[in-house]
Amino acid sequence: MGRRRSAVRLLVGLLLLRFNWCLAVDGGGVAEVDGAFPLVVSTWPFREAVRAAWEVVSAGDGGGSAVDAVVAGCSACEVLRCDGTVGPGGSPDENGETTLDALIMNGATMEIGAVAAMRYVKDGIKAAKLVMEHSLHTLLVGEKATAFAISMGLPGPTNLSSPESLEKWANWRQNHCQPNFWKNVVPAGSCGPYRPINLLKALDSTKHEVEGSQGGMCNGWFQSENLLEPIKSHLKFIDRHNHDTISMAVIDKMGHIAVGTSTNGATFKIPGRVGDGPIPGSSSYGDDEVGACGASGDGDIMMRFLPCYQVVESMRRGMEPQDAAMDAISRIARKFPDFIGAVFAVNKKGVHAGACHGWTFQYSVRNSSMHDVEVITVYP
């Protein structure tokens, strides 16, 4: 009997040793099968943001919560204005104004808070957390999101523009507002206001009918100096530095998962545009039972596919993070071969990977086996 117990203890010991080894994921960096918690993963080489999240989640005996770590990490990126695409002071819209989108999700409770097109409040991720904690809603938008955030104690109203963003906007105006996000409108090669092509065709038909019956007395009604311009094709100008976000996932010491996203959106967007940043399942998604995902890229395309929801559900069905990430990206690429975007995937064991299309993607990682943040490069 004693020998049998000893054999069982030896077998258990060998199994525990086996599951504490690191697993090298080809193309996806180094990941831990077990013993890797806490874990922080973020889009792009935003090292300071990951360090800020790590400081919270690794603190003390129990560490901070995954939710608090996400807020700390995304807030650091907002303050640092990561790449000019996160937080105040960047990505002006057509009117020269900067607005913010943000989302936070608690993977233990599946609660979500988000704000979109928020004006005059610089703390996007904190505003999203307030929506999650102090309302039964999921998403608040525009000036009403601003009023809610200020009523909950965030500072404001604050001008979210900066000298850099206003200079960028002025240069764009001098370049005849090119490129932009309009299509099938005129004028094609200059600043607005814009009108649909079909509307102008209808007006042109009306013009001929009126002139036929009224002579030349109404000629001035229909004058436009740009009606005969050729219609330009949609100019592709999305890249890493003008259409980006921070999306972050954290697994705390208890194994709980949280995700968050913060962005000031696409540069020179049409005012009122909301991208994938505050859309659950698009920019980020997490579930304690499965894992998490973060995304970056052309949000107007990616949000049509909810890629992060797809990644998590694929992992729920048994896919490894690498396969789940590649599957989500390939679904978009089949429909939009020219789109630019990327996702990272991490399962509940801490195994992580990434996939991208149209650009070279990087994501940042810190776990308990690392001395500092490591940046993983993913090639298309």
Side-chain angles (χ1 to χ4, degrees):
M1 180 67 72
R3 289 180 180 176
R4 184 174 299 172
R5 287 178 180 172
S6 297
V8 170
R9 287 179 184 144
L10 178 61
L11 178 59
V12 170
L14 289 172
L15 287 172
L16 289 173
L17 181 63
R18 163 67 181 84
F19 285 110
N20 274 288
W21 284 102
C22 292
L23 173 66
V25 182
D26 184 26
V30 175
E32 296 287 333
V33 174
D34 194 18
F37 304 149
L39 171 74
V40 180
V41 187
S42 168
T43 52
W44 302 113
F46 296 153
R47 292 178 176 86
E48 293 304 318
V50 173
R51 288 172 183 143
W54 179 258
E55 184 176 349
V56 171
V57 79
S58 64
D61 294 334
S65 72
V67 168
D68 288 341
V70 167
V71 172
C74 290
S75 291
C77 229
E78 291 171 352
V79 171
L80 293 170
R81 299 181 181 178
C82 291
D83 277 344
T85 61
V86 181
S91 298
D93 64 18
E94 280 194 345
N95 293 334
E97 182 181 7
T98 296
T99 55
L100 303 183
D101 300 337
L103 172 148
I104 191 163
M105 180 175 187
N106 185 336
T109 64
M110 307 305 283
E111 292 176 294
I112 297 172
V115 292
M118 185 174 69
R119 310 172 73 188
Y120 308 132
V121 172
K122 61 184 178 61
D123 301 298
I125 194 69
K126 291 179 181 178
K129 184 171 182 279
L130 288 169
V131 173
M132 182 176 72
E133 291 184 335
H134 298 292
S135 84
L136 295 177
H137 301 308
T138 294
L139 173 64
L140 298 180
V141 303
E143 292 186 3
K144 298 306 180 182
T146 302
F148 173 86
I150 293 174
S151 74
M152 290 290 102
L154 291 181
T158 302
N159 184 358
L160 301 185
S161 298
S162 67
E164 294 80 12
S165 70
L166 293 176
E167 181 182 8
K168 181 186 292 186
W169 175 71
N171 291 337
W172 176 73
R173 294 280 301 180
Q174 290 176 7
N175 192 42
H176 308 293
C177 302
Q178 303 300 315
N180 60 48
F181 285 94
W182 293 89
K183 67 177 184 179
N184 302 324
V185 297
V186 290
S190 63
C191 300
Y194 301 98
R195 298 183 181 88
I197 296 173
N198 291 339
L199 175 61
L200 288 169
K201 288 180 179 178
L203 289 174
D204 190 56
S205 175
T206 303
K207 171 186 175 182
H208 289 301
E209 292 179 6
V210 171
E211 286 181 340
S213 60
Q214 301 291 338
M217 55 188 294
C218 296
N219 284 346
W221 290 9
F222 300 97
Q223 289 178 358
S224 174
E225 57 190 43
N226 292 298
L227 292 185
L228 300 180
E229 288 186 42
I231 304 303
K232 70 176 180 63
S233 61
H234 180 61
L235 296 177
K236 190 173 187 177
F237 63 107
I238 295 165
D239 63 33
R240 154 142 162 53
H241 296 287
N242 68 9
H243 201 287
D244 193 21
T245 67
I246 178 171
S247 288
M248 176 176 283
V250 174
I251 307 179
D252 63 26
K253 291 182 179 180
M254 301 297 293
H256 295 311
I257 293 173
V259 297
T261 301
S262 182
T263 180
N264 52 39
T267 306
F268 311 131
K269 60 181 176 281
I270 298 171
R273 179 261 190 186
V274 173
D276 65 328
I279 306 303
S282 187
S283 67
S284 56
Y285 197 75
D287 186 340
D288 275 14
E289 297 178 357
V290 183
C293 168
S296 179
D298 186 348
D300 290 296
I301 298 297
M302 297 179 75
M303 67 193 297
R304 303 170 189 176
F305 294 83
L306 297 179
C308 277
Y309 179 79
Q310 182 65 56
V311 164
V312 171
E313 290 308 300
S314 293
M315 291 193 296
R316 192 189 304 276
R317 293 197 302 270
M319 276 193 187
E320 292 298 317
Q322 183 74 74
D323 295 331
M326 293 179 64
D327 174 71
I329 290 296
S330 67
R331 289 169 184 259
I332 306 173
R334 283 197 295 269
K335 297 289 187 178
F336 295 91
D338 295 329
F339 102 98
I340 295 173
V343 299
F344 69 75
V346 54
N347 67 19
K348 65 180 182 179
K349 298 178 181 179
V351 180
H352 55 83
C356 59
H357 183 84
W359 58 9
T360 298
F361 174 57
Q362 291 182 306
Y363 67 93
S364 304
V365 183
R366 176 77 195 269
N367 64 28
S368 58
S369 70
M370 299 174 181
H371 296 296
D372 198 1
V373 181
E374 296 183 8
V375 176
I376 309 299
T377 300
V378 182
Y379 298 96

